[in-house]
Amino acid sequence: MNWETFQHYDALSEGAARIFLDAIRADPKVALGLPTGNTPLGMYARIVADCSREYRCFRDVVVFNLDEYVGIPRDHPGSYFTFMQRHLFGHVDIEAANTHIPNGMAPDLKVECARYERSIASAGGLAITFLGLGSNGHIAFNEPGTPFDSRTHVVNLSESTRRANAAFFVDQPVPTHAITMGIATILDSRQIVLMASGAKKRDAITRLRSGTQGRDFPASALWTHPNVHVLVDEAAWSMGMAPRQDK
Ligand code: GLP
């Protein structure tokens, strides 16, 4: 696991955007896994600013979002589809057919999960997956207790995750379920970039840095992957512990 600390959130966002932009320039047909949440907002803003100056920046890029709520239409203000339109897709020249988000309104969610796995595989797998970090250690919507060998599946959202995501659901309760890439789906990605910012993430980062692996802390599965880059700002980084540098 390769750790990089930044003085503040803006610098972290710049660092993450650099990795993203380098990847789409090196391989214009690259397939990427993308997160939602507050953490990637700065990264998306920088990507949009950079690509608005370039012709055909996202033309053939293929993206797969990590997760989506179950039971809300995609044009609902709280859906991750809306989030991605607002922060990335609506501002760059990505083809709608190349943007993939699990369909939380599918009549058969199990079939939808299997379809999502197949479409990642038929895109040749993910070159880089970008991740945020839940304060309880969740990645995508894989809550504590999720097996490390899980594939795309339906999850029951924890109360703390529902509370953390309540801001977009003023007119109705936060959904109780979501579809998420599984931990094994994420680990299949050839590279993983995890971003964590702010004091709220300090405990989770301390636990991740300890190197202790366990289902109670889903992000610890990343220690089993050979190519993980963690970007952390100083607020999320508590002093006094040397990070483990081996895998
Ligand atoms: C949600 C998302 C995760 C995200 C997490 C952290 O639960 N499903 O993918 O990483 O929130 O969000 P934030 O970046 O806002 O702290």
Side-chain angles (χ1 to χ4, degrees):
M1 209 176 265
N2 169 33
W3 295 79
E4 193 171 358
T5 52
F6 296 85
Q7 226 172 0
H8 43 69
Y9 175 69
D10 284 352
L12 182 157
S13 301
E14 188 66 49
R18 190 54 40 218
I19 296 171
F20 194 118
L21 290 164
D22 286 350
I24 67 176
R25 282 168 191 150
D27 177 5
K29 296 186 175 179
V30 71
L32 302 173
L34 298 186
T36 52
N38 290 315
T39 313
L41 289 177
M43 172 181 82
Y44 289 139
R46 277 163 185 76
I47 292 165
V48 167
D50 231 75
C51 285
S52 65
R53 290 190 291 270
E54 272 180 49
Y55 176 62
R56 295 189 141 221
C57 201
F58 267 85
R59 195 75 186 150
D60 299 310
V61 172
V62 181
V63 298
F64 287 85
N65 266 80
L66 294 166
D67 44 20
E68 179 59 286
Y69 292 107
V70 165
I72 53 164
R74 56 184 218 163
D75 60 356
H76 185 281
S79 77
Y80 286 162
F81 176 86
T82 298
F83 176 102
M84 292 308 295
Q85 289 298 326
R86 184 178 302 144
H87 297 294
L88 185 66
F89 302 161
H91 309 284
V92 295
D93 62 335
I94 195 159
E95 295 284 346
N98 289 340
T99 65
H100 303 269
I101 301 187
N103 178 9
M105 295 290 277
D108 185 330
L109 296 173
K110 264 192 140 170
V111 169
E112 172 60 11
C113 293
R115 184 199 66 81
Y116 205 64
E117 283 284 329
R118 276 198 311 275
S119 62
I120 294 171
S122 50
L126 303 172
I128 307 180
T129 295
F130 292 83
L131 296 175
L133 177 66
S135 40
N136 62 0
H138 74 245
I139 47 174
F141 267 139
N142 293 289
E143 299 280 15
T146 310
F148 287 3
D149 62 357
S150 53
R151 313 298 314 188
T152 300
H153 61 290
V154 176
V155 288
N156 215 330
L157 297 173
S158 74
E159 274 314 306
S160 72
T161 299
R162 294 182 67 228
R163 261 197 311 278
N165 289 286
F168 292 108
F169 294 91
V170 282
D171 58 335
Q172 65 176 94
V174 182
T176 53
H177 292 79
I179 295 181
T180 183
M181 280 188 201
I183 295 179
T185 319
I186 293 168
L187 293 174
D188 277 350
S189 183
R190 293 186 281 284
Q191 187 184 347
I192 294 170
V193 175
L194 177 81
M195 297 171 272
S197 164
K200 273 195 303 195
K201 302 295 165 69
R202 195 176 290 164
D203 289 350
I205 285 296
T206 303
R207 165 70 200 264
L208 183 63
R209 286 169 69 193
S210 76
T212 310
Q213 291 174 37
R215 270 196 199 189
D216 61 319
F217 192 79
S220 67
L222 300 178
W223 284 107
T224 67
H225 191 281
N227 190 359
V228 178
H229 192 142
V230 187
L231 311 186
V232 196
D233 66 10
E234 281 182 2
W237 181 263
S238 52
M239 298 299 149
M241 258 179 82
R244 233 180 77 172
Q245 284 296 349
D246 56 325
K247 100 178 183 88

